[in-house]
Amino acid sequence: MFTIEERDRLRERLLARAEADDHVVGAAFTGSLAAGEGDRWSDTDLVLAVRGDLPQTLERWTGWLYDDLGARHHWDLRVGAAVVRVFLLPDWLEIDLTFAPEAEFGPRGPRWRTVFGRPRPLEPFPAPDGDTLVGLLWHHALHARVCLERARWWQAEHWISALRDHVITLACLRLGHPAAYAKGAHLLPGDLSTALEPTLVRSLTATELRRALDATIGVVTAELHRSRPELALRLAPMLDELVNTAPGKSC
């Protein structure tokens, strides 16, 4: 694994190249580094403002990261007109490099620290949609139960785990914690964290999967009553059917 010194030297090289590139007119750190919350394991999130042909700059930087820094792999995530290219370097150094058109260089949240350039005011990223999360909850609960009936143990485990992930997101959204990628999960109150522990699947047996699903549906129902009480009135009785109907019987 990388050392702090290796990561810091990498950041210095990235900034030096950005400042020397005529097509890069701005740079900013985002994520934990920008918020002063980084630790020994933090990766590097850097946004570059690109003037002119963005794909050309993107490919030029990609070639440099492979040829000079020994990148092993990369993949892309598109955000509007910007491209987040995520690189893996030796010793598990991760770099999330965002290449943004000059007009879209600016913070969309509080975790932003401008190094140089002129950031523009941009709309913040929208929070996860509560209705969509509720829909995913009942959808995943139903499909987990169906997979149990079909004796598809791995698929049942997939839906149960996904169901747990979404109820964590809904709880984080309600409490004002970071909701993406379970970043606020460690901030959940103790009683909720305790209730989530039995939702973990410990073995691929019908009995264990059914137990984990019942525990997960219990957490989902309780969270619906807290987050969306008007929907809980409609959905809780139906979720109870998934728990209380014996295997092999129609729900």
Side-chain angles (χ1 to χ4, degrees):
M1 295 290 288
F2 62 86
T3 65
I4 295 175
E5 292 75 20
E6 288 172 329
R7 183 189 60 198
D8 290 346
R9 284 196 296 271
L10 172 63
R11 289 171 177 170
E12 291 172 2
R13 292 189 68 178
L14 290 169
L15 288 177
R17 182 171 181 85
E19 290 172 344
D21 190 327
D22 292 339
H23 295 276
V24 175
V25 295
F29 285 116
T30 61
S32 58
L33 179 63
E37 300 172 355
D39 60 17
R40 186 255 181 271
W41 306 106
S42 298
D43 55 24
T44 297
D45 300 283
L46 183 64
V47 181
L48 303 177
V50 177
R51 178 175 292 169
D53 191 321
L54 192 148
Q56 187 178 73
T57 299
L58 178 62
E59 294 312 314
R60 189 158 35 80
W61 273 72
T62 299
W64 175 70
L65 278 151
Y66 274 92
D67 296 341
D68 287 34
L69 301 184
R72 298 292 192 258
H73 186 257
H74 72 268
W75 57 277
D76 288 351
L77 175 66
R78 294 194 173 271
V79 183
V83 177
V84 185
R85 183 155 287 184
V86 182
F87 291 91
L88 174 65
L89 272 62
D91 296 322
W92 288 99
L93 274 164
E94 178 186 339
I95 307 170
D96 299 351
L97 270 182
T98 300
F99 296 82
E102 186 177 5
E104 294 189 21
F105 175 69
R108 294 185 183 272
R111 296 187 167 199
W112 175 279
R113 177 161 65 86
T114 302
V115 180
F116 67 90
R118 185 166 64 90
R120 312 294 176 89
L122 300 177
E123 290 295 320
F125 289 121
D129 178 68
D131 283 333
T132 300
L133 285 171
V134 172
L136 292 172
L137 291 176
W138 65 254
H139 175 274
H140 291 9
L142 171 61
H143 282 264
R145 175 62 194 269
V146 169
C147 287
L148 288 176
E149 298 294 339
R150 292 172 174 166
R152 296 181 180 178
W153 309 138
W154 276 113
Q155 194 176 14
E157 192 282 332
H158 164 81
W159 289 120
I160 293 168
S161 294
L163 181 60
R164 180 177 59 252
D165 292 343
H166 290 312
V167 76
I168 288 173
T169 301
L170 188 62
C172 287
L173 195 63
R174 169 175 59 86
L175 295 166
H177 300 324
Y181 307 111
K183 288 184 177 181
H186 65 290
L187 301 172
L188 294 175
D191 60 338
L192 181 50
S193 293
T194 299
L196 283 163
E197 288 183 23
T199 69
L200 297 169
V201 176
R202 300 182 178 93
S203 64
L204 289 180
T205 64
T207 300
E208 169 59 16
L209 287 162
R210 180 62 188 265
R211 182 207 61 77
L213 176 58
D214 290 354
T216 309
I217 289 175
V219 176
V220 168
T221 301
E223 184 55 41
L224 284 175
H225 280 294
R226 297 188 189 101
S227 294
R228 305 297 292 270
E230 74 289 355
L231 286 175
L233 293 174
R234 298 183 222 162
L235 296 176
M238 298 184 70
L239 291 168
D240 285 344
E241 289 183 45
L242 297 180
V243 173
N244 295 320
T245 305
K249 302 292 184 180
S250 298
C251 294

